[in-house]
Amino acid sequence: MKTRHILMLAAGVAALAAIPLAMAQQKSGQTEALDQRGAQAQQTADAQAQADADARAQRRAAAAAQKDRAVKEGKVGGKEEEEEKPLR
């Protein structure tokens, strides 16, 4: 073989060896982007869940305060309102 052919073969082998490395780098970049989007989605879901929990807690506190006021004013009897539930 001539020197030119040997150099072309060596360049071809080097290019083939670089392909998996380039693909791995591209895939890791895609994975990082997916991880970032997943983390943002998780943070959004956590924030929404926290907001929902806060809203439920506020509604429960308001209902409990309203019930206490009604009991103090004598509009609702404390124990009379509760019904016995059958045992399961």
Side-chain angles (χ1 to χ4, degrees):
M1 282 192 173
K2 293 184 179 181
T3 307
R4 185 172 126 210
H5 290 119
I6 293 172
L7 290 175
M8 289 176 63
L9 283 173
V13 169
L16 288 175
I19 289 174
L21 178 63
M23 290 176 66
Q25 288 176 345
Q26 182 182 13
K27 189 173 185 176
S28 69
Q30 289 174 350
T31 303
E32 289 174 9
L34 288 175
D35 288 344
Q36 288 175 353
R37 278 188 258 150
Q40 289 173 347
Q42 183 66 41
Q43 288 175 347
T44 302
D46 289 346
Q48 182 65 37
Q50 184 65 41
D52 291 345
D54 290 344
R56 280 194 307 272
Q58 287 177 352
R59 284 194 303 268
R60 287 180 184 158
Q66 186 178 12
K67 183 178 178 182
D68 287 343
R69 274 187 252 122
V71 168
K72 287 180 183 177
E73 292 174 1
K75 292 181 179 178
V76 178
K79 293 188 177 182
E80 294 173 6
E81 185 177 299
E82 296 178 12
E83 296 180 11
E84 289 187 27
K85 295 181 181 177
L87 299 176
R88 292 184 184 177

